[in-house]
Amino acid sequence: NLVAGQPAAAVDAARQIRELGRRLNEPDLVAVGLNGEGRALIKSGAVADGLALLDEAMVTVLEGRLDPFMTGVLYCHTIAACHEIGDVLRMSRWTELAERWLTTVPAEVTFGAMCAVHRAQLQLLRGAWDQAELGALHVVASLDVNRLDYAAQAWYVVAEVRRLRGEAGAAEAYDEAHARGRDPQPGRALLQLQTGDAVGAATSVRSAVAAVGADPLSRAPLCAAMVEIAIAAGRLDDAVAAASELEATAATYATSGLEAMAAAARGAVLLAEGQAKEALPVLREACRRWHELGAAYDAAGTCVRLAEAYRALGDAVSAAAEVQRALGFANEKDHP
């Protein structure tokens, strides 16, 4: 039901599983029901209630009351849910706990590789690009036979690292992710932008938004990319619409990652509209949020836009300070 986009039906099914588990005194079923209901509530927009149920299910895991297979499944589902809604801090916590648990089950290879995907996603966000690429390539080697979905995610991380570094091989890595079922957007469109094809990138990202459907969480990273691409392509109306949608999604789900994305997008649009004064506080808030999440690359990019806003207002001293801060974040990225 969750995959089919029917969260209400998923809530009902999960509650039935949970009640069955309680009647049979089966903690595995209770935990699965709690986790499923939590993920369904999050999809419905009841984020706080959903996250509370995810945490409740994970208490059972931390108490060691479940068998190793179900423990691994619940770690994976919980971390994936946190990644989807941009709850970076919660994702980090559960990833660290999952890795600690894995040291107690050394024979478990598959869950270790799956957990490594999430670690690579966090490393990508935080600028530890060498580690992210190496970890993702290790996942590909481990899971390319029995878990193509995770291998696809790993290839996407590899592609993103190569794109962000400006290295060869990014396009091929996006192709590898695509071949395994992972939509290569928005990375592929951002790569088009990076190679100078702003108009083509704008067309690609618009198509990607249309193809993904109505799910706001799936649309959010595409909207963030659309803002950057549309501004570069001179399509300000598209940028305004994407930023507005992203703000609405962030207001609904209220997670740290989505709020940072929305603030950065809104600030970029205001700056592109020539409203440098109005952009300043929004961009400063975005930079603060990215820094708190350890997202050094995004923080540096926001500082560059802050410098543009200060220059537009004739404040060369503040602009220079933001450029220096961007360089500091860039150095932090290289040495996390």
Side-chain angles (χ1 to χ4, degrees):
N1 289 323
L2 274 177
V3 175
Q6 299 174 331
V11 167
D12 291 339
R15 287 174 177 169
Q16 291 176 32
I17 292 171
R18 185 179 63 183
E19 291 308 312
L20 178 63
R22 285 175 174 161
R23 288 201 304 271
L24 298 176
N25 194 27
E26 288 286 350
D28 286 23
L29 287 177
V30 174
V32 168
L34 286 169
N35 182 273
E37 183 179 351
R39 289 157 57 212
L41 287 174
I42 288 169
K43 280 284 192 181
S44 301
V47 181
D49 291 340
L51 288 172
L53 289 179
L54 292 187
D55 289 345
E56 185 179 343
M58 293 307 290
V59 168
T60 311
V61 169
L62 295 177
E63 290 174 347
R65 295 168 55 194
L66 307 184
D67 68 63
F69 176 79
M70 192 53 64
T71 294
V73 167
L74 289 175
Y75 268 124
C76 286
H77 283 330
T78 300
I79 295 167
C82 293
H83 180 256
E84 185 179 22
I85 62 173
D87 193 335
V88 178
L89 300 180
R90 201 182 236 98
M91 180 184 177
S92 299
R93 174 173 176 261
W94 288 122
T95 299
E96 289 164 5
L97 289 171
E99 290 174 337
R100 192 180 306 170
W101 166 73
L102 283 165
T103 64
T104 69
V105 283
E108 181 47 69
V109 175
T110 300
F111 281 128
M114 291 161 70
C115 190
V117 174
H118 301 307
R119 171 58 63 189
Q121 290 167 336
L122 286 169
Q123 289 166 333
L124 175 66
L125 173 72
R126 290 175 171 166
W129 293 345
D130 289 345
Q131 297 96 313
E133 183 175 19
L134 286 172
L137 288 171
H138 177 72
V139 168
V140 169
S142 301
L143 295 184
D144 216 7
V145 175
N146 59 342
R147 286 306 301 262
L148 284 182
D149 53 343
Y150 275 82
Q153 295 292 342
W155 271 118
Y156 189 82
V157 170
V158 172
E160 287 288 272
V161 169
R162 293 176 182 175
R163 174 181 68 81
L164 290 167
R165 283 185 180 146
E167 293 179 350
E172 292 77 10
Y174 286 125
D175 289 343
E176 295 285 358
H178 194 192
R180 289 159 178 80
R182 205 284 188 195
D183 185 353
Q185 300 293 5
R188 184 177 277 169
L190 289 167
L191 181 62
Q192 283 181 270
L193 176 64
Q194 189 172 304
T195 55
D197 184 12
V199 174
T203 300
S204 293
V205 77
R206 282 172 64 116
S207 297
V209 170
V212 80
D215 177 36
L217 291 172
S218 299
R219 293 169 65 90
L222 296 169
C223 286
M226 180 180 279
V227 170
E228 180 179 350
I229 292 168
I231 288 172
R235 297 181 176 180
L236 199 51
D237 288 348
D238 286 350
V240 170
S244 296
E245 179 178 335
L246 194 50
E247 283 186 297
T249 301
T252 297
Y253 294 93
T255 60
S256 54
L258 286 172
E259 288 171 345
M261 288 166 60
R266 175 54 57 197
V269 166
L270 288 169
L271 185 60
E273 290 176 327
Q275 301 183 63
K277 183 178 179 181
E278 291 77 6
L280 274 178
V282 181
L283 289 170
R284 287 180 67 85
E285 175 67 9
C287 191
R288 180 188 68 78
R289 289 182 177 277
W290 286 131
H291 186 47
E292 286 180 352
L293 295 177
Y297 178 83
D298 294 289
T302 306
C303 284
V304 170
R305 281 208 158 97
L306 271 169
E308 292 178 30
Y310 279 120
R311 280 194 213 97
L313 294 172
D315 187 348
V317 172
S318 295
E322 290 302 332
V323 170
Q324 286 302 310
R325 191 156 69 125
L327 292 173
F329 283 133
N331 185 63
E332 188 178 307
K333 168 190 69 64
D334 294 330
H335 306 284

